[in-house]
Amino acid sequence: MNFKIPRFALLAVAAAGAIGLAYACAPRGQRQSSLISGDAASKVYVAPGAYDEFYAFLSGGYSGQIAVYGLPSGRLLRQIPVFSQFPEDGYGYNEETKPLLQTTYGFVPWDDSHHPELSQTNGVPDGRWLFINANNTPRIARIDLTRFETDEIIQIPNSAGGHASPFTTPNSKYVVSATRFSVPVPNTDVAIDSYKKNFKGTLSFITADQPGKMDIAFQILMPGYNYDLGHAGKGPSDGWFFFTSYNSEEANTKLEENASQADKDYIAAVDYKRAEACVLGGKAKPQAAEYLHNWVDEGTRTAKSEKKTSVKMLDPRDCPGLVYYLPTPKSPHGVDVDPTGEYIVAGGKLATVIPVHSFTKLKKAIADKVFDADLQGIPVLKYDAVMAGEVQKPGLGPLHTEFDGKGYAYTSFFISSEVVKWKLGTWEVVDRIPTYYSIGHLMIPGGDSKQPWGKYVLAMNKITKDRYLPTGPEMAQSAQLIDITGDKMKLLLDFPTIGEPHYAQAIPASLIKDKQVKFFKLTENTNSWITKSESDGGITRNGKRVDIKMIAIRSHFAPDNLEGVQVGDSVFFHVTNIEQDWDILHGFAVLGMNTSELIIQPGETRTLAWVPKAPGVFPFYCTDFCSALHQEMQGYIRVSPAGSATKLMANVSKKAQAQLSNARAGVR
Ligand code: RUQ
Ligand code: CUA
């Protein structure tokens, strides 16, 4: 039954939020310092030269990237560029990586990344890959954790707002993506107020266990709600996937109010083994849909882009038993499955309780057909028949829950700005700790898996205000590390983050650190523009295209004097770093270019494109301080007017050098 939530109730929630924030934003004092126990510093201290216990991968949110931190120190180890160009290393600017950012909308240099997800084996993070979603132009990326590099990006068609993504099944057979915004499927020109008739949601299952071969296995056509988050079942619930939805009102305007009417929205419980059977049985309809699949070839380290043209679309009406709706109070955001796979916990943004569904009861309710209604071919189960329990008076604005593997759950509360610890089974609140301020996601290492490593919960907060030295109107967002080894949670550390860390994942460093690639073997570099030794460099012209092959090694480029290029040519500098040593990088930039530098890792070839616009002599140099004579690592390229008789020249060898000076002296 749906009834209108009285306006005063919404106002009360908003007012409580304001009070919570006002309290939380009070100046530092007793309250905060008393939260820090005396040994906090020693608990996060990692001595110089020592390593952190965990790698933590925090999403960069509207930076589009991933930030890698060590825990417990909070040291920023690296940024991994994924969905946005990254001038720091030329990602998305150099010719090799540009295809990764291609979509059916063209080249997209930015996106909004939300949820890093580690690949799993038997429901436990395994450190092979990290997946992350793009929210605005729905995509999923795979990052290889032997190199900390984006290797593959697949676009999700029939979707708008790839938010419930890229959560994994227990062996990473699939990662998922659900549409946040329902849209016409296929998207077409209709009146916006025909929403109820024409707008649909989709749930996509993407095959993920073969690098370079991600593909849309199938999509499920759903009612036009907003799908928000998801998590796979595990153990007894293995084979199921749970997605939250809100806006079951199907409002198309002023959602703040219009999508907050219904007393309950739904969690969609999807039996994806059933989906596989229906697809095999020919129940899915092929539907035209264009999307790109981009991936990096290992040998050339160059990305390719391939266009796909159709998906398999499953309508729940054609595949009975595929999806059930679990009524869930109220506008649920997070949905999290406990390590045993029995409990499905929802974070109802506007709910006054934390509702927990039971997988055992869900199975029984399906067997007994305890249905309330049918929504477009999807049976709605009765709330009381599937509910395991409710955590009473937990706080305001529950969002996300993680688990410690010891029978406790930790839920973030945005409005009351706190982490609340409660016990699975008894549903009693056992502890709470304030966060500064307005927490979104929280993360326990392995805390959404079958075997949490526990130890810490990381709160990722939306508002920073007075926590750090002020930096103008905008402050970096803030993460807070909390010790969960004892009965009482203890705040250990604050550290600033990059962009907006929506979600994060962490894994013991021991599962990743010894698998690191230290350099690329030159003998395995199959890039057709490779230069293997100094004498192999050169310059060639084909019409208006000029290719320059050069090496970089401490502390020079070869060739380093180039002539014969003309205004308006398309010049490609293909620079191979022929070092075969860990962490010896070279950079490349040329005066007058219109892109970012190249950063070239040892053993790889990277290409910078340039169309010179005026005659002159332009220096290029190494941008990465690589050696004592780094400042000597430079060269010149001469640009002549279009049609000039200046000969192509590259001083790669003694002979070429001699030719060059002979030419200078006017000797032929
Ligand atoms: S969420 S707004 Cu993961 Cu709580 Cu994106
Ligand atoms: Cu190479 Cu500096």
Side-chain angles (χ1 to χ4, degrees), residues 37-159:
S37 59
D39 57 352
S42 67
K43 287 202 164 138
V44 300
Y45 183 69
V46 175
Y51 292 155
D52 276 291
E53 183 180 356
F54 293 99
Y55 283 100
F57 301 93
L58 276 62
S59 110
Y62 44 71
S63 88
Q65 321 292 42
I66 284 175
V68 188
Y69 290 85
L71 294 182
S73 73
R75 290 171 177 170
L76 175 63
L77 303 175
R78 185 133 188 82
Q79 267 197 84
I80 308 173
V82 188
F83 293 115
S84 297
Q85 286 178 303
F86 194 55
E88 185 179 316
D89 70 358
Y91 177 88
Y93 291 97
N94 60 49
E95 298 304 298
E96 286 75 14
T97 53
K98 267 156 68 173
L100 281 171
L101 300 182
Q102 283 295 341
T103 74
T104 53
Y105 303 97
F107 182 80
V108 179
W110 168 90
D111 216 309
D112 177 19
S113 61
H114 279 229
H115 306 117
E117 178 85 339
L118 288 159
S119 57
Q120 296 186 352
T121 301
N122 295 323
V124 182
D126 56 21
R128 282 180 293 167
W129 311 304
L130 183 71
F131 300 97
I132 189 161
N133 63 321
N135 201 43
N136 186 53
T137 304
R139 285 171 289 170
I140 294 177
R142 177 204 308 273
I143 288 137
D144 183 296
L145 290 179
T146 65
R147 289 177 273 110
F148 285 58
E149 286 183 325
T150 302
D151 264 1
E152 188 170 11
I153 295 183
I154 188 161
Q155 192 180 351
I156 318 293
N158 297 321
S159 176

Side-chain angles (χ1 to χ4, degrees), residues 553 585-587 622-627 630 633:
I553 192 166
L585 308 178
H586 295 288
C622 172
T623 54
D624 188 317
F625 202 109
C626 51
S627 59
H630 156 82
M633 194 161 172

Side-chain angles (χ1 to χ4, degrees), residues 536-549:
D536 285 351
I539 184 167
T540 50
R541 172 182 288 283
N542 188 351
K544 285 182 78 73
R545 177 180 171 129
V546 175
D547 289 288
I548 296 162
K549 290 180 22 166

Side-chain angles (χ1 to χ4, degrees), residues 114-115 163 180 229 333 399-400 440-441 462 500 502-503:
H114 279 229
H115 306 117
H163 191 261
R180 170 167 160 212
L229 283 159
H333 183 60
L399 292 182
H400 301 282
H441 278 270
K462 302 297 188 190
E500 179 177 356
H502 282 263
Y503 187 44

